[in-house]
Amino acid sequence: MALYKEIVTKAVVGKGKKSFKNNYQISTTDNPNTVLGCWVINHKFKGYKSGDKVGVDGSFDVNIWYSYDSDSKTTVVNKKIEYNDLFNVKIKENADLTADTEIIVRSLSQPNCVKVDILDGGIISFDIEKELGVEIVGETKMKISIEEDEEPWDLIDEELTEEDLKEIDKVDENYI
């Protein structure tokens, strides 16, 4: 019959990822002819628990470079976009979201502009894709089996014999 002990440790008790594709619009002071580029920078985010779900608050800046006045001039318009996303992450058995639970959020795919359209009235419509991963680290218990009868320890004899003492007392007179 094996004996068991329980060990309480921190481990990943829940993990999941989610892809997002959102459409945004930005107004310009000019009437754009061509969109020359779209960059997404300064992506910042943090995770928190929200009841039995995980929330992620974040933001990023979008810079859109476009031409206007019959493609004779260019300018850049920018917009800070804030988001709040909720995840329904499955948590392993015997684990709960507590005050000590740690939420780790990773950007698996940075926000990226995948489509841009020019609408009437100087409005630019664009789609942003991103993928976020969430890990929930919390306390969990593990059971390990232990041996009931441990083998006895062998004694190590440290006594010196007379032969060992004679060897130690010998001095090599030709050493130097």
Side-chain angles (χ1 to χ4, degrees), residues 96-110:
D96 293 319
L97 290 178
T98 65
D100 294 336
T101 303
E102 183 181 355
I103 308 293
I104 301 170
V105 180
R106 290 188 176 87
S107 179
L108 302 177
S109 175
Q110 289 291 335

Side-chain angles (χ1 to χ4, degrees), residues 48-94:
Y48 60 92
K49 68 178 187 142
S50 176
D52 60 345
K53 295 185 178 187
V54 174
V56 178
D57 286 337
S59 67
F60 51 85
D61 297 330
V62 176
N63 296 305
I64 299 176
W65 179 34
Y66 65 92
S67 68
Y68 63 98
D69 199 16
S70 298
D71 289 333
S72 64
K73 298 178 183 174
T74 66
T75 191
V76 175
V77 65
N78 54 33
K79 181 176 186 176
K80 181 175 187 164
I81 296 175
E82 295 182 350
Y83 63 88
N84 178 280
D85 296 323
L86 285 177
F87 285 76
N88 193 8
V89 180
K90 288 185 180 179
I91 298 175
K92 295 178 182 169
E93 325 176 343
N94 302 328

Side-chain angles (χ1 to χ4, degrees), residues 21 113-117 125-128:
K21 183 175 182 179
C113 185
V114 293
K115 181 180 177 188
V116 179
D117 292 316
S125 174
F126 54 96
D127 291 342
I128 302 289

